[in-house]
Structures are given as structure tokens and as C-alpha cells.
Amino acid sequence: MTTQNDYPAVETLLQDARLDKALKNIGEKVLAKERLTTDEGILLFEKGELGYVGALANFVRVRMHGDKTYFNRNFHIEPTNVCIFTCKFCSYSKLYKHKEEGWELSVDQMLDIVKKYDGQPVTEVHIVGGVHPKMNLDFFVELLEKIRAHRPDLHIKGFTAVELDYMFRKAKLSVQEGMKKLYDAGLQSMPGGGAEIFHPDIRAQICHDKVDADGWLDIHRAAHNLGMHTNATMLYGHVEQYWHRVDHMERLRRLQDETGGFNTFIPLKFRNKDNEMEHVGEVSVIEDLRLYAIARLYMDNFPHLKAYWPMLGRQSAQLTLSFGVNDLDGTIDDTTKIYSMAGAEEQNPSMNTAQLAMLIKQAGRRPVERDTVYNEIKDYTDVVFSDEELMAK
Ligand code: V47
Ligand code: SF4
């Protein structure tokens, strides 16, 4: 398979006399591996055409990862959709006062979900849900210990900083003490949710009552200091302006300079079904792709950029692979409801390994299965799948 690293094409692009001077300067910095400033990030959003930012981001992606595109085999456990918080974009949670309409799983019910995967080659369980006042730190310590005892080889990635902030405050523990307790019980890494947009003006409008930017960053810092890896998300395409996105990425970039503990940046497209922000239109696919490309250029110290296919849909996710993205998350197996409830195309998000690998191959990339911390498990480039595997539900 030929590599898509098109160095001459990027150089030719930069020599185009019609190219805006400031954009050209950014392109030259990218080729020279120099860091972009916040003003340059904003300029890319304001003036960077898809073709231009896309070519640069693809260049960077190939420089970092060649044609490799990672995925993993995982399943989700969502302990509850009952939540004490009131994020306006959330289609998933049921307010605590309406908790009879939601679900709440016991530790044993969640262990039963884990047991369903006995003998299957999944490498990760991703645990994330609403913030239920009765599901406290001890409850989750018990869950982690039981999962670890049942299947020690399964990597446990769990809990957003929002869930943890509440758990620790309720247990009257410092962030460091709380993280250590969960780490000792078996928690190995953290997903990137709850970050939304860090700027307080936007948080005040869309998620005023949950952990703020500094609280979110402190929890990830504490996890990194324990040697855990975590991810970071950004919920984009609602009421934020371009500079809020860059401010968000800048705060993450700074923490990453300090700790090096982030694996992956995951932009999440705002979906507007069945939530209190239905009146806010969704952004176009062009805007999605521009965002991924600019994120790849700006987040120079984040090794991986992930497109979460259950939220974007398969075809858009495939397109992102030419705009800086090198990871498509997991096979998932129909175990998350967060996006289907918010109007994503994927109402039953499930893809088997053959289907996910084929999706990546069709985009001209090499599908590589990874574990949660990016150890490579298997390169599927030359694997030929049967029709049964590709058609299986
Ligand atoms: O923080 C909620 C988002 C996040 C909507 O780290 C919405 O590997 C769009 O963080 N439209 C939780 N997004 C999920 C999450 C995640 C998902 C996959 C992988 C990883 C990882 C992390 O879902 C929330 C919020 O930003 N979200 N509602 C909505 N209407
Ligand atoms: Fe609760 Fe998370 Fe929904 Fe906010 S996004 S209401 S914290 S479940």
C-alpha cells in the first residue's frame, strides 16, 4: 500500500502566490514542526479553507503515524442515566427527580455485563454514565475490584472528571486521595468526557452546575501523576466561538506539556435531538472536517486524534481519516446510548472487527488494532475477511 504522505504537494501548496501570507506562514511553521500560537489557531478557523488545513493536517498525521489507523475492541457499561446535573446539551440523562424513568445498574448487574464477554477478545471496558447521588466512591471501588478479580486482563477505563469530582467531594477526599483509591481498586485510565468547552462564559450557558475547567484539569493532572493515561474531549458546534475552541485546546496543550499523560484528543460534534438546545443548529460536515484538521495542527503534543464514529456516523468518520484523524475508537458492540439519544445517525452503534477494519482500508489506510494505551495488537492490512464476517450484524 502506498503511503499518503504527500510532502511535495504540501510544499507546492505553500508556493501558491494567491495564498494568504499569514496562512502560508502557518503552513511553513507546520512543516518545520514549530508550535502554533492561539492567534494562529483562531486564524485557521477564520480563514483556513478545508483543502488547505486538510492537506497540512494529513501531512502531520502521516508524519506521526504513517497510514496506521488505530481501533480497539471494547464495550461500554453505563451504570445509570440518572444525573443530578442539568447540562443543556444532554439528551441522555434523566434528572434525579425523574429517576423512575431512568436506569440504575447494581454492581452485580454490571458484573453480569462483563461476564457476557468472557472468552471474547475484547481488551477494554469503558465505564461512563450520569452522576447518581447514591452511586458513591465505595460503590465504584467494589465494582472495579469485582471486575478486576473476574477478568484481570481487561483494561478498565472509566469515569469522567465530572463523575469523579462529585464522588470525591461526597467522600470528603482530596482529588489525589480519591484517585489513588480508584487506582488501587483497578482503574487504569480515564476517558475524556465532561470537558465540553472550558471557558466559563460557555460553561455558564450550557453546563453551569458541573465541575469547572480547573477542576477538570486537576483531576486529569492527578491521574497523570499516578501514571495513568487519560483522554480529552471538546464538545463543539453549538454556542461557542472559534476563540473558545482555541482557548480550550490551549488549556489542554499546557497540561500536556506539564504531564505528558494525555493519549488522545477527541472532538465531539454537538447533536441537537431531544435536549434543551434543539434550537441550536448542527454544524456541517465541512466544519467537522476543518475542526479535526485544525485540532491536528494545534495539538502538537497530543499523540492521537480520535473521531468517535458512533457520534459522527460511519461515512463522516471515514472522511476524517484524510483530515488528521488516526483513531476510530472501538467496535463498541451496541453498548452506548449517549449519541443515539442525541440524534446521531448510528442508532445501534455496533461494528465488528472486520467491518471496522474494512472501513479503514476503504479510506486507503492501515487498520491496526490497539489496546487502550496504544500497544499494537494486530495489523489487519493484509487480512482477507469472509462475506459472513463483513455482513454479520
Ligand atoms: O462529556 C453529551 C458528550 C461526552 C451530547 O475518552 C454529547 O475514549 C454531542 O466523553 N451531542 C461523554 N455530544 C462521552 C465521552 C467519550 C466518548 C467516547 C470515547 C471517549 C474516550 C469519551 O458526550 C460528554 C459530552 O461532551 N455529549 N451529549 C450531545 N447532545
Ligand atoms: Fe449529567 Fe453528563 Fe448529561 Fe451533564 S452530560 S447532565 S453530567 S449525564
Side-chain angles (χ1 to χ4, degrees), residues 151-190:
R151 190 163 173 182
D153 62 305
L154 193 64
H155 182 108
I156 309 178
K157 173 171 103 181
F159 314 120
T160 64
V162 177
E163 295 164 272
L164 297 178
D165 169 66
Y166 183 80
M167 256 185 245
F168 300 161
R169 282 191 288 117
K170 217 157 175 214
K172 298 197 169 29
L173 292 179
S174 69
V175 168
Q176 288 73 16
E177 290 164 337
M179 278 314 304
K180 181 75 170 64
K181 239 184 143 176
L182 292 174
Y183 177 73
D184 289 342
L187 186 68
Q188 286 161 287
S189 64
M190 273 174 63

mmCIF file of all heavy atoms in Angstrom, residues 151-190:
data_model
loop_
_atom_site.group_PDB
_atom_site.id
_atom_site.type_symbol
_atom_site.label_atom_id
_atom_site.label_comp_id
_atom_site.label_asym_id
_atom_site.label_seq_id
_atom_site.Cartn_x
_atom_site.Cartn_y
_atom_site.Cartn_z
ATOM 1 N N ARG A 151 -11.790 -10.631 35.698
ATOM 2 C CA ARG A 151 -11.048 -10.657 34.426
ATOM 3 C C ARG A 151 -9.876 -9.672 34.486
ATOM 4 O O ARG A 151 -9.962 -8.534 34.004
ATOM 5 C CB ARG A 151 -12.005 -10.302 33.282
ATOM 6 C CG ARG A 151 -11.354 -10.548 31.947
ATOM 7 C CD ARG A 151 -12.344 -10.619 30.806
ATOM 8 N NE ARG A 151 -11.603 -10.692 29.572
ATOM 9 C CZ ARG A 151 -12.154 -10.721 28.378
ATOM 10 N NH1 ARG A 151 -13.463 -10.697 28.238
ATOM 11 N NH2 ARG A 151 -11.413 -10.766 27.299
ATOM 12 N N PRO A 152 -8.769 -10.103 35.072
ATOM 13 C CA PRO A 152 -7.645 -9.188 35.297
ATOM 14 C C PRO A 152 -7.034 -8.619 34.014
ATOM 15 O O PRO A 152 -6.420 -7.570 34.052
ATOM 16 C CB PRO A 152 -6.605 -10.055 36.036
ATOM 17 C CG PRO A 152 -7.285 -11.321 36.386
ATOM 18 C CD PRO A 152 -8.525 -11.455 35.572
ATOM 19 N N ASP A 153 -7.229 -9.314 32.871
ATOM 20 C CA ASP A 153 -6.609 -8.815 31.634
ATOM 21 C C ASP A 153 -7.412 -7.695 30.978
ATOM 22 O O ASP A 153 -6.951 -7.067 30.028
ATOM 23 C CB ASP A 153 -6.465 -9.972 30.627
ATOM 24 C CG ASP A 153 -7.831 -10.530 30.247
ATOM 25 O OD1 ASP A 153 -8.591 -10.914 31.162
ATOM 26 O OD2 ASP A 153 -8.162 -10.564 29.033
ATOM 27 N N LEU A 154 -8.605 -7.431 31.454
ATOM 28 C CA LEU A 154 -9.447 -6.405 30.820
ATOM 29 C C LEU A 154 -9.035 -5.027 31.344
ATOM 30 O O LEU A 154 -9.035 -4.794 32.554
ATOM 31 C CB LEU A 154 -10.912 -6.689 31.202
ATOM 32 C CG LEU A 154 -12.002 -5.961 30.436
ATOM 33 C CD1 LEU A 154 -11.999 -6.353 28.956
ATOM 34 C CD2 LEU A 154 -13.375 -6.289 31.050
ATOM 35 N N HIS A 155 -8.697 -4.131 30.438
ATOM 36 C CA HIS A 155 -8.299 -2.780 30.857
ATOM 37 C C HIS A 155 -9.559 -1.997 31.255
ATOM 38 O O HIS A 155 -10.515 -1.911 30.489
ATOM 39 C CB HIS A 155 -7.586 -2.077 29.697
ATOM 40 C CG HIS A 155 -7.101 -0.709 30.029
ATOM 41 N ND1 HIS A 155 -5.770 -0.405 30.210
ATOM 42 C CD2 HIS A 155 -7.777 0.453 30.250
ATOM 43 C CE1 HIS A 155 -5.644 0.871 30.515
ATOM 44 N NE2 HIS A 155 -6.856 1.423 30.533
ATOM 45 N N ILE A 156 -9.527 -1.418 32.444
ATOM 46 C CA ILE A 156 -10.699 -0.664 32.904
ATOM 47 C C ILE A 156 -10.442 0.831 32.712
ATOM 48 O O ILE A 156 -9.590 1.431 33.367
ATOM 49 C CB ILE A 156 -11.037 -0.942 34.382
ATOM 50 C CG1 ILE A 156 -11.116 -2.454 34.645
ATOM 51 C CG2 ILE A 156 -12.344 -0.250 34.753
ATOM 52 C CD1 ILE A 156 -11.408 -2.814 36.102
ATOM 53 N N LYS A 157 -11.193 1.386 31.746
ATOM 54 C CA LYS A 157 -11.145 2.840 31.505
ATOM 55 C C LYS A 157 -12.461 3.396 32.025
ATOM 56 O O LYS A 157 -13.519 2.936 31.609
ATOM 57 C CB LYS A 157 -11.003 3.081 30.003
ATOM 58 C CG LYS A 157 -11.101 4.531 29.595
ATOM 59 C CD LYS A 157 -10.741 4.707 28.118
ATOM 60 C CE LYS A 157 -11.968 4.907 27.273
ATOM 61 N NZ LYS A 157 -11.675 5.050 25.848
ATOM 62 N N GLY A 158 -12.397 4.335 32.961
ATOM 63 C CA GLY A 158 -13.693 4.722 33.495
ATOM 64 C C GLY A 158 -13.759 6.118 34.071
ATOM 65 O O GLY A 158 -12.759 6.698 34.485
ATOM 66 N N PHE A 159 -14.977 6.629 34.074
ATOM 67 C CA PHE A 159 -15.409 7.820 34.811
ATOM 68 C C PHE A 159 -14.858 9.128 34.251
ATOM 69 O O PHE A 159 -13.650 9.336 34.169
ATOM 70 C CB PHE A 159 -15.036 7.724 36.300
ATOM 71 C CG PHE A 159 -15.382 6.390 36.900
ATOM 72 C CD1 PHE A 159 -14.409 5.582 37.459
ATOM 73 C CD2 PHE A 159 -16.692 5.927 36.869
ATOM 74 C CE1 PHE A 159 -14.718 4.352 38.003
ATOM 75 C CE2 PHE A 159 -17.011 4.695 37.409
ATOM 76 C CZ PHE A 159 -16.022 3.900 37.976
ATOM 77 N N THR A 160 -15.764 10.013 33.930
ATOM 78 C CA THR A 160 -15.337 11.354 33.527
ATOM 79 C C THR A 160 -14.967 12.140 34.780
ATOM 80 O O THR A 160 -15.371 11.795 35.900
ATOM 81 C CB THR A 160 -16.475 12.115 32.821
ATOM 82 O OG1 THR A 160 -17.541 12.301 33.762
ATOM 83 C CG2 THR A 160 -16.981 11.369 31.604
ATOM 84 N N ALA A 161 -14.250 13.232 34.560
ATOM 85 C CA ALA A 161 -13.872 14.097 35.687
ATOM 86 C C ALA A 161 -15.118 14.624 36.405
ATOM 87 O O ALA A 161 -15.065 14.941 37.597
ATOM 88 C CB ALA A 161 -13.011 15.246 35.182
ATOM 89 N N VAL A 162 -16.233 14.707 35.699
ATOM 90 C CA VAL A 162 -17.477 15.178 36.324
ATOM 91 C C VAL A 162 -17.957 14.168 37.374
ATOM 92 O O VAL A 162 -18.304 14.539 38.510
ATOM 93 C CB VAL A 162 -18.571 15.361 35.241
ATOM 94 C CG1 VAL A 162 -19.893 15.781 35.859
ATOM 95 C CG2 VAL A 162 -18.116 16.353 34.193
ATOM 96 N N GLU A 163 -17.957 12.896 36.995
ATOM 97 C CA GLU A 163 -18.366 11.858 37.950
ATOM 98 C C GLU A 163 -17.391 11.810 39.132
ATOM 99 O O GLU A 163 -17.794 11.690 40.292
ATOM 100 C CB GLU A 163 -18.384 10.484 37.247
ATOM 101 C CG GLU A 163 -19.434 10.370 36.147
ATOM 102 C CD GLU A 163 -19.167 9.161 35.239
ATOM 103 O OE1 GLU A 163 -18.416 9.289 34.258
ATOM 104 O OE2 GLU A 163 -19.700 8.086 35.536
ATOM 105 N N LEU A 164 -16.104 11.918 38.814
ATOM 106 C CA LEU A 164 -15.093 11.805 39.876
ATOM 107 C C LEU A 164 -15.141 12.988 40.831
ATOM 108 O O LEU A 164 -15.035 12.826 42.051
ATOM 109 C CB LEU A 164 -13.696 11.676 39.253
ATOM 110 C CG LEU A 164 -13.493 10.420 38.409
ATOM 111 C CD1 LEU A 164 -12.106 10.406 37.796
ATOM 112 C CD2 LEU A 164 -13.716 9.157 39.239
ATOM 113 N N ASP A 165 -15.319 14.170 40.295
ATOM 114 C CA ASP A 165 -15.381 15.372 41.138
ATOM 115 C C ASP A 165 -16.489 15.200 42.179
ATOM 116 O O ASP A 165 -16.301 15.457 43.372
ATOM 117 C CB ASP A 165 -15.651 16.584 40.235
ATOM 118 C CG ASP A 165 -16.003 17.823 41.022
ATOM 119 O OD1 ASP A 165 -15.115 18.320 41.748
ATOM 120 O OD2 ASP A 165 -17.162 18.288 40.926
ATOM 121 N N TYR A 166 -17.638 14.722 41.726
ATOM 122 C CA TYR A 166 -18.767 14.533 42.657
ATOM 123 C C TYR A 166 -18.455 13.432 43.669
ATOM 124 O O TYR A 166 -18.673 13.591 44.877
ATOM 125 C CB TYR A 166 -20.033 14.204 41.853
ATOM 126 C CG TYR A 166 -21.239 14.061 42.748
ATOM 127 C CD1 TYR A 166 -21.922 15.177 43.215
ATOM 128 C CD2 TYR A 166 -21.690 12.803 43.149
ATOM 129 C CE1 TYR A 166 -23.020 15.048 44.056
ATOM 130 C CE2 TYR A 166 -22.780 12.665 43.986
ATOM 131 C CZ TYR A 166 -23.441 13.788 44.425
ATOM 132 O OH TYR A 166 -24.520 13.661 45.270
ATOM 133 N N MET A 167 -17.927 12.319 43.174
ATOM 134 C CA MET A 167 -17.594 11.174 44.058
ATOM 135 C C MET A 167 -16.618 11.585 45.153
ATOM 136 O O MET A 167 -16.799 11.261 46.321
ATOM 137 C CB MET A 167 -16.863 10.107 43.224
ATOM 138 C CG MET A 167 -17.654 8.914 42.840
ATOM 139 S SD MET A 167 -16.480 7.788 41.993
ATOM 140 C CE MET A 167 -17.152 7.764 40.375
ATOM 141 N N PHE A 168 -15.590 12.316 44.785
ATOM 142 C CA PHE A 168 -14.551 12.684 45.757
ATOM 143 C C PHE A 168 -15.091 13.696 46.766
ATOM 144 O O PHE A 168 -14.803 13.623 47.954
ATOM 145 C CB PHE A 168 -13.305 13.273 45.062
ATOM 146 C CG PHE A 168 -12.641 12.341 44.081
ATOM 147 C CD1 PHE A 168 -11.768 12.827 43.106
ATOM 148 C CD2 PHE A 168 -12.861 10.960 44.121
ATOM 149 C CE1 PHE A 168 -11.150 11.970 42.204
ATOM 150 C CE2 PHE A 168 -12.250 10.093 43.220
ATOM 151 C CZ PHE A 168 -11.399 10.613 42.254
ATOM 152 N N ARG A 169 -15.855 14.662 46.277
ATOM 153 C CA ARG A 169 -16.390 15.663 47.213
ATOM 154 C C ARG A 169 -17.321 14.997 48.207
ATOM 155 O O ARG A 169 -17.299 15.293 49.396
ATOM 156 C CB ARG A 169 -17.115 16.781 46.445
ATOM 157 C CG ARG A 169 -16.129 17.777 45.829
ATOM 158 C CD ARG A 169 -16.769 19.026 45.293
ATOM 159 N NE ARG A 169 -17.526 18.794 44.079
ATOM 160 C CZ ARG A 169 -18.834 18.974 43.966
ATOM 161 N NH1 ARG A 169 -19.550 19.413 44.982
ATOM 162 N NH2 ARG A 169 -19.442 18.738 42.824
ATOM 163 N N LYS A 170 -18.155 14.071 47.723
ATOM 164 C CA LYS A 170 -19.087 13.382 48.609
ATOM 165 C C LYS A 170 -18.353 12.535 49.643
ATOM 166 O O LYS A 170 -18.776 12.415 50.799
ATOM 167 C CB LYS A 170 -20.005 12.498 47.763
ATOM 168 C CG LYS A 170 -21.370 12.506 48.343
ATOM 169 C CD LYS A 170 -22.516 12.193 47.561
ATOM 170 C CE LYS A 170 -23.669 12.205 48.576
ATOM 171 N NZ LYS A 170 -24.668 11.246 48.287
ATOM 172 N N ALA A 171 -17.239 11.947 49.223
ATOM 173 C CA ALA A 171 -16.461 11.096 50.144
ATOM 174 C C ALA A 171 -15.540 11.945 51.027
ATOM 175 O O ALA A 171 -14.791 11.393 51.839
ATOM 176 C CB ALA A 171 -15.636 10.097 49.337
ATOM 177 N N LYS A 172 -15.577 13.255 50.815
ATOM 178 C CA LYS A 172 -14.719 14.193 51.559
ATOM 179 C C LYS A 172 -13.230 13.830 51.437
ATOM 180 O O LYS A 172 -12.470 13.841 52.407
ATOM 181 C CB LYS A 172 -15.131 14.271 53.034
ATOM 182 C CG LYS A 172 -16.549 14.776 53.250
ATOM 183 C CD LYS A 172 -16.757 15.231 54.677
ATOM 184 C CE LYS A 172 -18.034 15.982 54.954
ATOM 185 N NZ LYS A 172 -19.204 15.721 54.159
ATOM 186 N N LEU A 173 -12.852 13.497 50.219
ATOM 187 C CA LEU A 173 -11.445 13.175 49.953
ATOM 188 C C LEU A 173 -10.874 14.214 48.984
ATOM 189 O O LEU A 173 -11.613 14.809 48.183
ATOM 190 C CB LEU A 173 -11.333 11.793 49.292
ATOM 191 C CG LEU A 173 -11.685 10.582 50.144
ATOM 192 C CD1 LEU A 173 -11.543 9.312 49.316
ATOM 193 C CD2 LEU A 173 -10.787 10.507 51.384
ATOM 194 N N SER A 174 -9.571 14.419 49.070
ATOM 195 C CA SER A 174 -8.942 15.286 48.073
ATOM 196 C C SER A 174 -8.941 14.534 46.731
ATOM 197 O O SER A 174 -9.129 13.307 46.701
ATOM 198 C CB SER A 174 -7.503 15.612 48.488
ATOM 199 O OG SER A 174 -6.722 14.430 48.377
ATOM 200 N N VAL A 175 -8.696 15.289 45.673
ATOM 201 C CA VAL A 175 -8.641 14.663 44.348
ATOM 202 C C VAL A 175 -7.556 13.578 44.335
ATOM 203 O O VAL A 175 -7.770 12.469 43.824
ATOM 204 C CB VAL A 175 -8.356 15.747 43.275
ATOM 205 C CG1 VAL A 175 -8.002 15.114 41.942
ATOM 206 C CG2 VAL A 175 -9.552 16.669 43.131
ATOM 207 N N GLN A 176 -6.413 13.877 44.947
ATOM 208 C CA GLN A 176 -5.300 12.920 44.944
ATOM 209 C C GLN A 176 -5.694 11.646 45.703
ATOM 210 O O GLN A 176 -5.443 10.528 45.248
ATOM 211 C CB GLN A 176 -4.042 13.526 45.583
ATOM 212 C CG GLN A 176 -3.350 14.596 44.748
ATOM 213 C CD GLN A 176 -4.120 15.922 44.724
ATOM 214 O OE1 GLN A 176 -5.007 16.161 45.549
ATOM 215 N NE2 GLN A 176 -3.800 16.767 43.755
ATOM 216 N N GLU A 177 -6.333 11.841 46.879
ATOM 217 C CA GLU A 177 -6.726 10.664 47.683
ATOM 218 C C GLU A 177 -7.772 9.822 46.940
ATOM 219 O O GLU A 177 -7.703 8.588 46.921
ATOM 220 C CB GLU A 177 -7.312 11.113 49.029
ATOM 221 C CG GLU A 177 -6.292 11.721 49.985
ATOM 222 C CD GLU A 177 -6.963 12.499 51.125
ATOM 223 O OE1 GLU A 177 -8.123 12.956 50.992
ATOM 224 O OE2 GLU A 177 -6.301 12.677 52.159
ATOM 225 N N GLY A 178 -8.740 10.504 46.366
ATOM 226 C CA GLY A 178 -9.813 9.790 45.660
ATOM 227 C C GLY A 178 -9.264 9.011 44.470
ATOM 228 O O GLY A 178 -9.598 7.838 44.257
ATOM 229 N N MET A 179 -8.403 9.667 43.687
ATOM 230 C CA MET A 179 -7.838 8.995 42.502
ATOM 231 C C MET A 179 -7.037 7.768 42.927
ATOM 232 O O MET A 179 -7.112 6.719 42.296
ATOM 233 C CB MET A 179 -6.880 9.928 41.740
ATOM 234 C CG MET A 179 -7.449 10.922 40.793
ATOM 235 S SD MET A 179 -8.712 10.452 39.606
ATOM 236 C CE MET A 179 -8.010 9.142 38.723
ATOM 237 N N LYS A 180 -6.294 7.913 44.005
ATOM 238 C CA LYS A 180 -5.443 6.804 44.458
ATOM 239 C C LYS A 180 -6.316 5.603 44.839
ATOM 240 O O LYS A 180 -5.985 4.454 44.547
ATOM 241 C CB LYS A 180 -4.594 7.296 45.639
ATOM 242 C CG LYS A 180 -3.643 6.275 46.214
ATOM 243 C CD LYS A 180 -2.430 6.079 45.303
ATOM 244 C CE LYS A 180 -1.315 5.252 45.906
ATOM 245 N NZ LYS A 180 -1.614 3.886 46.212
ATOM 246 N N LYS A 181 -7.450 5.913 45.484
ATOM 247 C CA LYS A 181 -8.346 4.822 45.909
ATOM 248 C C LYS A 181 -8.853 4.038 44.695
ATOM 249 O O LYS A 181 -8.875 2.796 44.697
ATOM 250 C CB LYS A 181 -9.536 5.428 46.671
ATOM 251 C CG LYS A 181 -9.635 4.878 48.069
ATOM 252 C CD LYS A 181 -10.837 5.373 48.816
ATOM 253 C CE LYS A 181 -11.292 4.188 49.649
ATOM 254 N NZ LYS A 181 -12.382 4.423 50.519
ATOM 255 N N LEU A 182 -9.262 4.772 43.674
ATOM 256 C CA LEU A 182 -9.793 4.100 42.479
ATOM 257 C C LEU A 182 -8.680 3.366 41.725
ATOM 258 O O LEU A 182 -8.873 2.259 41.211
ATOM 259 C CB LEU A 182 -10.466 5.122 41.556
ATOM 260 C CG LEU A 182 -11.751 5.738 42.115
ATOM 261 C CD1 LEU A 182 -12.252 6.840 41.189
ATOM 262 C CD2 LEU A 182 -12.850 4.692 42.295
ATOM 263 N N TYR A 183 -7.535 3.983 41.682
ATOM 264 C CA TYR A 183 -6.375 3.359 41.021
ATOM 265 C C TYR A 183 -6.033 2.039 41.719
ATOM 266 O O TYR A 183 -5.846 1.009 41.073
ATOM 267 C CB TYR A 183 -5.212 4.352 41.091
ATOM 268 C CG TYR A 183 -3.908 3.852 40.534
ATOM 269 C CD1 TYR A 183 -3.717 3.715 39.161
ATOM 270 C CD2 TYR A 183 -2.838 3.554 41.383
ATOM 271 C CE1 TYR A 183 -2.504 3.271 38.653
ATOM 272 C CE2 TYR A 183 -1.621 3.114 40.883
ATOM 273 C CZ TYR A 183 -1.464 2.972 39.515
ATOM 274 O OH TYR A 183 -0.271 2.530 39.014
ATOM 275 N N ASP A 184 -5.996 2.073 43.050
ATOM 276 C CA ASP A 184 -5.688 0.851 43.803
ATOM 277 C C ASP A 184 -6.756 -0.224 43.600
ATOM 278 O O ASP A 184 -6.481 -1.418 43.685
ATOM 279 C CB ASP A 184 -5.544 1.158 45.307
ATOM 280 C CG ASP A 184 -4.267 1.934 45.600
ATOM 281 O OD1 ASP A 184 -3.358 1.934 44.737
ATOM 282 O OD2 ASP A 184 -4.178 2.562 46.674
ATOM 283 N N ALA A 185 -7.994 0.223 43.325
ATOM 284 C CA ALA A 185 -9.076 -0.751 43.134
ATOM 285 C C ALA A 185 -9.077 -1.335 41.714
ATOM 286 O O ALA A 185 -9.790 -2.305 41.453
ATOM 287 C CB ALA A 185 -10.419 -0.093 43.422
ATOM 288 N N GLY A 186 -8.302 -0.729 40.790
ATOM 289 C CA GLY A 186 -8.239 -1.334 39.453
ATOM 290 C C GLY A 186 -8.480 -0.384 38.293
ATOM 291 O O GLY A 186 -8.417 -0.793 37.134
ATOM 292 N N LEU A 187 -8.761 0.884 38.593
ATOM 293 C CA LEU A 187 -8.964 1.830 37.490
ATOM 294 C C LEU A 187 -7.622 2.085 36.797
ATOM 295 O O LEU A 187 -6.635 2.429 37.454
ATOM 296 C CB LEU A 187 -9.533 3.156 38.027
ATOM 297 C CG LEU A 187 -9.924 4.166 36.954
ATOM 298 C CD1 LEU A 187 -11.126 3.667 36.147
ATOM 299 C CD2 LEU A 187 -10.267 5.523 37.580
ATOM 300 N N GLN A 188 -7.590 1.938 35.455
ATOM 301 C CA GLN A 188 -6.302 2.057 34.765
ATOM 302 C C GLN A 188 -6.170 3.303 33.898
ATOM 303 O O GLN A 188 -5.080 3.776 33.643
ATOM 304 C CB GLN A 188 -6.062 0.815 33.904
ATOM 305 C CG GLN A 188 -5.696 -0.399 34.749
ATOM 306 C CD GLN A 188 -5.901 -1.678 33.979
ATOM 307 O OE1 GLN A 188 -7.023 -2.121 33.749
ATOM 308 N NE2 GLN A 188 -4.817 -2.296 33.562
ATOM 309 N N SER A 189 -7.281 3.809 33.414
ATOM 310 C CA SER A 189 -7.204 5.063 32.665
ATOM 311 C C SER A 189 -8.571 5.740 32.682
ATOM 312 O O SER A 189 -9.549 5.165 33.170
ATOM 313 C CB SER A 189 -6.723 4.829 31.225
ATOM 314 O OG SER A 189 -7.662 4.045 30.538
ATOM 315 N N MET A 190 -8.606 6.959 32.186
ATOM 316 C CA MET A 190 -9.860 7.737 32.219
ATOM 317 C C MET A 190 -10.244 8.224 30.826
ATOM 318 O O MET A 190 -9.369 8.663 30.070
ATOM 319 C CB MET A 190 -9.649 8.990 33.072
ATOM 320 C CG MET A 190 -9.869 8.850 34.536
ATOM 321 S SD MET A 190 -9.373 10.413 35.301
ATOM 322 C CE MET A 190 -10.545 11.557 34.574
#
